Amino acid sequence: MHVTVVGNPGSRRVTLFAAAAVRAGLAEPEIVSWRDVLSGVPLRLRPGAAVRVESPGEDAEVDRLLRGAAAAAEPGEIVGGRAWYTGFAAALDRVADAARDQGAHLLADPAEILVMFDKAACHARLLAAGIPVPAALPGAPASWAQLRSWLDEAGWRRVFVKPCHGSSASGVIALQLGSGGRILATTSVELSGGRLFNSLRVRHYRDERDVAAIVDRLAPDGLQVQRWLPKAGLDGRVVDLRVVTVAGEPSHVVVRGSRSPMTNLHLGGVRGDLCALRAAAGRHYAEGLDTCRAVAACFPGSLHTGVDLMFAAGWRSHGVAEVNAFGDLLPGLHVDGRDTYDAEVAALLTCARTGASA
């Protein structure tokens, strides 16, 4: 079996997957760079090759090409989410066309990747399938004024405001509206000179003018607003789970704990004790994993998914916050001696032996 990876050469994701392929006895995967895909370079795929589509993130030039911008964004700048998504869709079409024309097959359905990268579309798909998800506003607010009006109409005082096409908590705001006009917005967004930047430090904004400036800057690229689900706590932190499914089954689980509403590990979240969480959740833990299986079934053309699973306070109910097309980067997390990439390669080889589609 030959494997090709569409990705950014030298990135952690490409390197870790390639190492897993070699450990499994496969040849070093061939790499097709996102820069080549986006620059119109002819794409060469080996007939019969399994083609893995990897994240185009963490490359400033790739980001610029995806957005069709004349210049690269400043480091960490949050800009052009809708243009990025449009460019990514076109790039995936080009990869899919090359695979079809040259007799290769993709390990993830481009249409499914795009749904996972559109929070509103993903929420709608899960809701239609009966997956428990937080309630969401039915539309995308065009401004802070409209968001505030809609929240007043709905009677919602605590929500998560999310860019439709963001990832890694980029631009996400945990918003709380109190009595007497009080407001608290918790976010990694740094507001600087009217521009927005990602930061590794979680900030708290209490001035409505600052919150309005952030939301108004984000809104043109699309927002999804989810009602805040109060999460269960463990060891003095709120927690949620990243559950990686491989071939439809939960494979690797990491507990993410935080003293702020943002549990992302790069924002100061810590990995929690899975055994302790399972003990706290009891039988409800298995119910949560069943939900992750149901989520994977919503994306049958994708070898893996990364499901963000939240247990509500008390552990008796749960919901799915998001589904990630590239949510399998969990370095150092091993189950039965295998990391996420080992599990994915093993599933790929099993499909090849049985003749099943990957």
Side-chain angles (χ1 to χ4, degrees):
M1 171 185 288
H2 295 281
V3 178
T4 297
V5 178
V6 180
N8 294 326
S11 70
R12 292 181 299 164
R13 296 171 182 274
V14 169
T15 300
L16 289 169
F17 179 81
V22 171
R23 283 195 296 271
L26 295 175
E28 183 87 16
E30 297 176 356
I31 309 299
V32 173
S33 76
W34 278 115
R35 291 192 185 192
D36 285 349
V37 174
L38 293 161
S39 299
V41 173
L43 306 182
R44 307 296 183 194
L45 302 176
R46 189 189 296 261
V51 180
R52 174 184 174 88
V53 176
E54 193 47 273
S55 169
E58 300 182 359
D59 185 303
E61 177 62 9
V62 168
D63 174 76
R64 182 190 72 79
L65 291 168
L66 284 167
R67 291 185 294 109
E74 292 293 324
E77 186 174 8
I78 304 171
V79 62
R82 193 184 300 276
W84 184 99
Y85 184 77
T86 300
F88 188 42
L92 287 173
D93 281 346
R94 186 157 192 257
V95 172
D97 289 345
R100 183 188 62 248
D101 294 344
Q102 298 175 45
H105 67 278
L106 301 178
L107 299 180
D109 182 342
E112 293 182 2
I113 293 175
L114 290 173
V115 169
M116 286 185 261
F117 265 96
D118 183 327
K119 290 181 175 58
C122 187
H123 184 275
R125 177 171 294 195
L126 298 180
L127 188 64
I131 307 293
V133 290
L137 292 179
S143 65
W144 166 252
Q146 188 171 59
L147 171 61
R148 189 69 192 261
S149 174
W150 287 1
L151 292 178
D152 288 343
E153 289 176 12
W156 294 0
R157 314 309 292 168
R158 302 177 77 204
V159 295
F160 275 80
V161 182
K162 302 179 178 183
C164 273
H165 309 302
S167 61
S168 301
S170 175
V172 173
I173 305 166
L175 178 65
Q176 303 179 69
L177 302 176
S179 60
R182 290 179 301 155
I183 187 169
L184 175 60
T186 303
T187 179
S188 62
V189 172
E190 178 182 357
L191 179 62
S192 177
R195 299 162 73 187
L196 308 183
F197 294 86
N198 279 316
S199 169
L200 295 180
R201 181 169 70 85
V202 174
R203 289 168 162 76
H204 302 287
Y205 293 93
R206 293 180 171 84
D207 189 324
E208 184 169 352
R209 291 170 298 182
D210 291 335
V211 180
I214 294 171
V215 171
D216 286 344
R217 186 79 177 182
L218 294 171
D221 287 319
L223 293 172
Q224 206 226 7
V225 183
Q226 293 180 354
R227 196 167 192 181
W228 188 315
L229 175 70
K231 296 177 184 176
L234 195 67
D235 295 329
R237 294 180 171 89
V238 296
V239 293
D240 60 17
L241 302 176
R242 167 62 57 83
V243 181
V244 175
T245 70
V246 178
E249 285 294 316
S251 172
H252 290 65
V253 181
V254 65
V255 180
R256 308 183 302 185
S258 177
R259 301 192 192 283
S260 86
M262 324 296 285
T263 59
N264 302 73
L265 299 179
H266 71 286
L267 295 178
V270 298
R271 291 192 181 187
D273 185 334
L274 181 58
C275 290
L277 183 140
R278 293 182 65 170
R283 64 180 176 83
H284 302 294
Y285 177 76
E287 294 169 357
L289 293 190
D290 283 342
T291 290
C292 293
R293 292 184 179 93
V295 170
C298 293
F299 302 95
S302 298
L303 179 64
H304 64 87
T305 67
V307 182
D308 288 347
L309 180 69
M310 307 178 295
F311 283 94
W315 301 100
R316 295 184 179 182
S317 63
H318 61 269
V320 173
E322 297 179 14
V323 188
N324 304 272
F326 305 126
D328 54 349
L329 179 62
L330 299 175
L333 180 64
H334 292 82
V335 175
D336 298 329
R338 303 193 303 189
D339 67 13
T340 54
Y341 301 105
D342 292 320
E344 290 160 17
V345 171
L348 179 59
L349 291 173
T350 297
C351 291
R353 286 194 299 269
T354 61
S357 59

